[in-house]
Amino acid sequence: MKQIQLNNGISIPQLGYGVFQIDDLEQCEQGVRDALQTGYRLIDTAACYGNEVAVGHAITKSDVPREDIFISSKVWIQDTGYEKTMASFQKTLDNLQTDYLDLYLIHMPYGDYYGSWRAMEELYQSGKIRAIGVCNFLPDRLTDLIQSFDVVPAVNQIELHPFSQRRDLRNLMNKYRITSMAWAPFAEGQNHLFTHPILKKIGDQYDKTPAQVTLRWLRQNDIVAIPKSVHLERIHQNFSVDDFKLSDSDMTKINELDTGHPLILDVATYKEAYRLHHITFVQ
Ligand code: NAP
């Protein structure tokens, strides 16, 4: 599996397995187990997904050593602030049955994320977290965080797929060597991604599906991707993107699919965030 070096020198697998919206804990545990058996070594969860315990079970029961697995989790809005983030982090460790995290992220750019970042810097310096980062930070808040603290985020996890390519944000992130981590790499199926005629035509040249073409496009842009599926066949399919390479002309055609705006979550509108996570925003 291709690795990407973060701005603090540690490596992250370029392709991982996401567990958002796998609310059935047995199904989540099975999904992580299938992913690990397939070869995935990056698992992305979050406190607000309610399934960290299932992820922890799958990891502790697996034959893969803990140090070979890159685990990322996130602190949710209600737990922003120094004290609450410290407590939420410990709960995440307990849920996952581990004594360190590979990557810990601020989930949303809302609430007291300054306090959270202070806590995360401390946890990072003490070795409890190997890298810290953010999600859904747009240029203004990202710049503010970078200017106000010592540690530059290693990662910004953002909605990123062929229909929302975030070029301006990625250009800014490149300046600080902040790695892009694509959530909803398939746009959760919106815009008919899985049957999209252009992605399908490109894929037909290589006997690959639109999903695989999308993941390969992310790979060739050095973007970490964390597709989610509860189906074994798709978990395998999504992992099978090493054996072909998109041509420059294919890459250009996919670049032209950008709509210039996100399809799933506009972080400027709080209401979308509530709807997405079924959790009330508490001040
Ligand atoms: P996604 O990965 O773009 O899409 C998941 C959907 O695609 C599921 O409905 C899945 O169905 C289907 N699917 C997967 N592989 C497929 C294939 N090969 N062919 C056809 N359908 C396929 O969306 P996501 O789950 O929202 O995003 C991925 C991960 O990003 C999440 O799991 C989570 O870890 C992370 N995330 C982070 C944030 C954030 O704010 N930081 C927000 C959202 C998500 P089945 O499961 O039925 O196969």
Side-chain angles (χ1 to χ4, degrees), residues 78-139:
Q78 283 97 331
D79 291 320
T80 55
Y82 179 88
E83 299 291 347
K84 286 186 185 169
T85 294
M86 285 291 189
S88 184
F89 174 72
Q90 188 54 51
K91 183 140 194 294
T92 282
L93 288 188
D94 295 345
N95 285 342
L96 291 165
Q97 299 180 58
T98 182
D99 54 6
Y100 72 97
L101 268 193
D102 296 282
L103 179 64
Y104 197 43
L105 303 167
I106 295 177
H107 205 148
M108 290 283 167
Y110 310 141
D112 179 13
Y113 59 81
Y114 263 53
S116 293
W117 198 252
R118 274 197 294 120
M120 289 162 67
E121 279 192 338
E122 244 177 71
L123 292 162
Y124 170 64
Q125 306 293 3
S126 72
K128 288 272 187 191
I129 310 173
R130 297 178 65 228
I132 55 176
V134 295
C135 306
N136 304 306
F137 272 53
L138 299 182

Side-chain angles (χ1 to χ4, degrees), residues 261-282:
H261 58 80
L263 300 191
I264 299 166
L265 172 67
D266 182 348
V267 281
T269 57
Y270 287 165
K271 279 192 176 156
E272 273 303 283
Y274 310 154
R275 189 192 58 74
L276 186 71
H277 293 282
H278 318 292
I279 292 175
T280 311
F281 176 43
V282 179

